[in-house]
Amino acid sequence: MSNFKDEQVLKINGSAKKSTKGTTKITQSSSDLKEATQSPITQVIITKVWAKWVSKYSVLLCWEPHLLALRYKVEYIPIDDDGNRDESQKRIFEDIEATEFEVDNLKASSDYEFIVSAMVYEKLDCIFARPLESPLHLTAEPDNATSVRLEWEAVKGATEYRMEKRKTENSIGNNGSDDSFAHQNQLDNFSFSWELVSDNVTSTTQMIGGLESGIEYEFRVSAGHNKVFEKGTVVRATPLSSPSNVKVVSVTNTTANITWDKTPGAERYKMVIQQKQEKTGNSGTNTYPEILVSDCIVDNHAVIKGLLCGNEYNVWIFSGSNRVFERRGALIVVSPLSSPTQLGIVSLLSTSLVIKWQPVKRAVKYKVEIMNQHG
């Protein structure tokens, strides 16, 4: 080390604390973390080492940091006049956490060989974790009686998603009983743990099937990177079937009375009315723009008012919970009709009567009633 130059600079303490046992976390970058579990430790020689300063009896060594270093070790060996290493005079300094260390008590005008090593785990079992946001705008829509459709916004940096499900406390009913103790006992003994649906989801729209109709579920979607997942976002939904046996009970020239069977588990219904617009030109198609949406129907019937006589309407009925509605719905076509006009008698015989009237647009059949008046 005869090429060192004397410099008067601030000395840096090279002592260090011993590393803690167990799991060691090392920052790899601003967006990635590497976690390594403890295993046998070995040493790696640091190749880039230099002297920050040197005095008559000491030297301050510096070196490049090693990414996976737990601590560092410095060795020095005196070199005799013939260029041989004197191993008997070797000194070792261990448990150094800094990347510089002052070696003192050296002999003036003597040569030394310095070796710096990084102490690292011999074998690393690593998990790479990237900080991720939870999925935003997670929605759950009942698709039918046994399935729910989930959709969410893509999370930047996610390589996969995990979906889980579980029944909620609302799924445990008391069957109309007044025995609150028995109901509470059911709740206390029911498992609300999450059930894994899939942890290898790559799209942001998924259908979850195999559910119980009319039972409320919670669904959790978590963003992941290399199978490490964040805490996730939770949404609730109840799988529901579409209303059945939808029919028109009565219709006038401006109103229609519609009924349907109650859907098990449904708390309300939504009605969407579309008015048919006739196609224009040879290449045109009929359109059905929405003219009314009502989502607060609690009974299984509705009266539609303000219809235009002679027009055709699509009426959709959807089953819903207190949060969302199922996606498919039930369709029925309604055509308000006017009363026949220009009603007249064509012929009248002793036992028969012939009458006629002006055809009503969209009417497919007519009802004729005859009243026998006495007196």
Side-chain angles (χ1 to χ4, degrees):
M1 288 300 195
S2 57
N3 59 338
F4 289 161
K5 296 181 180 179
D6 289 334
E7 285 184 68
Q8 196 63 35
V9 298
L10 180 65
K11 293 183 180 181
I12 305 223
N13 188 355
S15 63
K17 296 180 180 179
K18 292 185 179 181
S19 62
T20 57
K21 296 182 179 180
T23 299
T24 302
K25 291 185 178 179
I26 303 164
T27 301
Q28 186 180 30
S29 69
S30 60
S31 60
D32 292 297
L33 296 177
K34 171 175 280 190
E35 184 173 302
T37 56
Q38 189 173 10
S39 64
I41 295 175
T42 187
Q43 63 184 36
V44 177
I45 302 297
I46 303 295
T47 57
K48 191 171 183 179
V49 181
W50 65 94
K52 189 173 183 179
W53 57 260
V54 61
S55 67
K56 190 173 183 179
Y57 302 108
S58 62
V59 61
L60 180 62
L61 299 177
C62 299
W63 55 88
E64 280 192 341
H66 191 285
L67 178 63
L68 302 180
L70 304 172
R71 55 192 180 274
Y72 296 94
K73 180 174 73 173
V74 173
E75 305 173 65
Y76 79 81
I77 304 172
I79 306 297
D80 61 24
D81 294 338
D82 296 327
N84 298 318
R85 302 164 80 233
D86 186 358
E87 296 285 347
S88 64
Q89 300 298 317
K90 181 170 70 172
R91 293 182 62 191
I92 300 176
F93 305 91
E94 297 183 299
D95 296 329
I96 302 170
E97 291 185 350
T99 55
E100 54 185 33
F101 183 73
E102 181 187 355
V103 182
D104 54 12
N105 296 321
L106 301 177
K107 292 182 179 180
S109 302
S110 297
D111 290 335
Y112 295 86
E113 180 181 279
F114 294 89
I115 302 173
V116 178
S117 303
M119 310 307 295
V120 300
Y121 287 126
E122 183 177 304
K123 181 180 179 181
L124 290 175
D125 297 323
C126 299
I127 298 174
F128 286 92
R130 175 169 297 172
L132 297 172
E133 298 288 341
S134 298
L136 296 176
H137 302 122
L138 174 62
T139 60
E141 293 182 320
D143 184 70
N144 55 42
T146 59
S147 64
V148 168
R149 180 178 181 269
L150 299 182
E151 187 171 3
W152 60 91
E153 286 188 3
V155 176
K156 184 178 180 181
T159 56
E160 65 271 324
Y161 299 92
R162 179 177 62 197
M163 296 191 307
E164 299 166 285
K165 67 177 181 179
R166 68 179 179 185
K167 294 179 181 179
T168 71
E169 69 281 357
N170 296 329
S171 65
I172 308 301
N174 57 8
N175 298 320
S177 172
D178 293 330
D179 190 348
S180 58
F181 177 80
H183 182 230
Q184 185 60 47
N185 187 56
Q186 282 184 299
L187 290 173
D188 293 340
N189 291 283
F190 191 80
S191 174
F192 293 101
S193 59
W194 290 102
E195 177 185 348
L196 178 65
V197 177
S198 175
D199 62 356
N200 194 34
V201 178
T202 55
S203 67
T204 57
T205 301
Q206 288 291 313
M207 196 77 70
I208 299 181
L211 307 175
E212 295 182 41
S213 180
I215 298 297
E216 185 181 56
Y217 288 83
E218 277 188 330
F219 302 94
R220 183 167 66 183
V221 177
S222 306
H225 182 80
N226 293 335
K227 297 299 182 181
V228 179
F229 296 91
E230 49 82 37
K231 62 181 181 180
T233 303
V234 177
V235 69
R236 291 189 175 194
T238 303
L240 297 170
S241 59
S242 301
S244 60
N245 196 28
V246 181
K247 58 185 177 181
V248 178
V249 177
S250 63
V251 63
T252 69
N253 58 343
T254 59
T255 65
N257 186 6
I258 300 176
T259 65
W260 58 88
D261 292 343
K262 289 185 176 181
T263 301
E267 298 176 332
R268 57 177 176 160
Y269 301 91
K270 178 173 69 174
M271 180 172 62
V272 177
I273 302 176
Q274 302 168 323
Q275 183 177 357
K276 181 180 180 179
Q277 300 291 329
E278 297 287 351
K279 61 183 180 181
T280 58
N282 295 330
S283 58
T285 57
N286 296 330
T287 59
Y288 293 84
E290 291 182 2
I291 62 172
L292 176 67
V293 176
S294 176
D295 61 1
C296 55
I297 302 173
V298 295
D299 295 318
N300 60 325
H301 60 83
V303 177
I304 307 172
K305 299 180 180 180
L307 303 178
L308 298 178
C309 182
N311 286 313
E312 182 178 302
Y313 298 87
N314 283 348
V315 179
W316 292 89
I317 307 296
F318 299 87
S319 305
S321 64
N322 61 348
R323 291 179 176 82
V324 293
F325 293 91
E326 48 93 15
R327 301 176 58 244
R328 298 179 182 270
L331 171 66
I332 191 170
V333 178
V334 175
S335 298
L337 301 175
S338 61
S339 300
T341 59
Q342 301 181 22
L343 178 63
I345 299 175
V346 177
S347 64
L348 178 61
L349 301 176
S350 60
T351 58
S352 64
L353 175 68
V354 177
I355 59 176
K356 71 174 184 178
W357 56 86
Q358 190 68 23
V360 177
K361 185 179 181 181
R362 299 187 185 280
V364 295
K365 59 182 180 179
Y366 300 90
K367 181 173 72 172
V368 178
E369 295 179 295
I370 300 176
M371 298 179 62
N372 185 14
Q373 294 184 346
H374 297 281

